[in-house]
Amino acid sequence: MIRNAVVEDVPSIVEMIRELAEYERALPEARATEEQLREALFGEQPAVFALIAEDDASLETVGFALWFRNFSTWKGTHGIYLEDLYVRPEHRGGGHGRALLTALARTAVERGYQRFEWSVLDWNEPSIGFYKSLGAVPMDEWTVHRLSGEALEALGRS
């Protein structure tokens, strides 16, 4: 079962974010707090949105998708950027990841969005294979660039 996240899901989402960061070999970088996530998802002006995957029988939270709207100047429409998709290892293969992606694709189609995008680590072959099986294509000509930490601070102060 896929549903919209509610404020009571925040502790579980933060826990799964840390599980994802550990899987991606980047646990020390996952510093978001429950308070920050609560504000981002449920504050006065929500900036991000989340879906929850629950086990149909136990109603246990087994995964989540956290996303936000982006905008294509070429298409002239919003799109969805999937920041995180995570299904707990013991629940993988049960269709939860596909159900989360299907729900997001449905949202994009219903709202007239032209794109649904996300990033995946180049070493994460299981995920890459799964995404390709859904018809997703890698954007090989594009490279993500990021400013953070000292470089962001320096440019922001200049």
Side-chain angles (χ1 to χ4, degrees):
M1 179 172 88
I2 305 300
R3 63 172 174 79
N4 289 319
V6 295
V7 71
E8 291 81 14
D9 292 313
V10 168
S12 181
I13 294 170
V14 169
E15 183 179 303
M16 289 186 288
I17 288 170
R18 288 194 171 81
E19 291 171 20
L20 174 61
E22 185 171 26
Y23 173 75
E24 292 183 347
R25 306 171 191 153
L27 184 56
E29 296 173 43
R31 295 186 299 261
T33 66
E34 288 184 21
E35 293 77 24
Q36 289 172 315
L37 192 59
R38 189 175 296 107
E39 179 63 26
L41 286 165
F42 303 105
E44 192 172 310
Q45 295 183 354
V48 296
F49 308 92
L51 296 176
I52 298 294
E54 290 182 334
D55 179 77
D56 289 336
S58 68
L59 299 183
E60 173 189 2
T61 298
V62 299
F64 79 102
L66 192 130
W67 64 279
F68 54 88
R69 291 187 325 163
N70 58 14
F71 187 80
S72 169
T73 56
W74 290 14
K75 299 285 186 183
T77 66
H78 285 286
I80 287 177
Y81 186 83
L82 176 61
E83 179 65 22
D84 284 331
L85 174 73
Y86 181 73
V87 175
R88 290 189 156 132
E90 62 272 20
H91 295 280
R92 292 182 188 153
H96 303 293
R98 182 182 182 92
L100 286 163
L101 291 171
T102 298
L104 289 172
R106 186 175 299 117
T107 297
V109 170
E110 289 172 354
R111 296 181 183 185
Y113 298 170
Q114 300 292 304
R115 292 181 177 164
F116 175 17
E117 300 176 321
W118 60 91
S119 297
V120 60
L121 291 166
D122 59 5
W123 56 260
N124 191 345
E125 290 298 327
S127 293
I128 291 168
F130 170 61
Y131 298 144
K132 285 182 178 179
S133 77
L134 299 175
V137 294
M139 303 298 293
D140 293 332
E141 297 175 353
W142 294 86
T143 301
V144 175
H145 286 76
R146 176 178 294 159
L147 272 175
S148 63
E150 291 179 22
L152 175 61
E153 294 288 329
L155 184 59
R157 284 193 301 266
S158 66

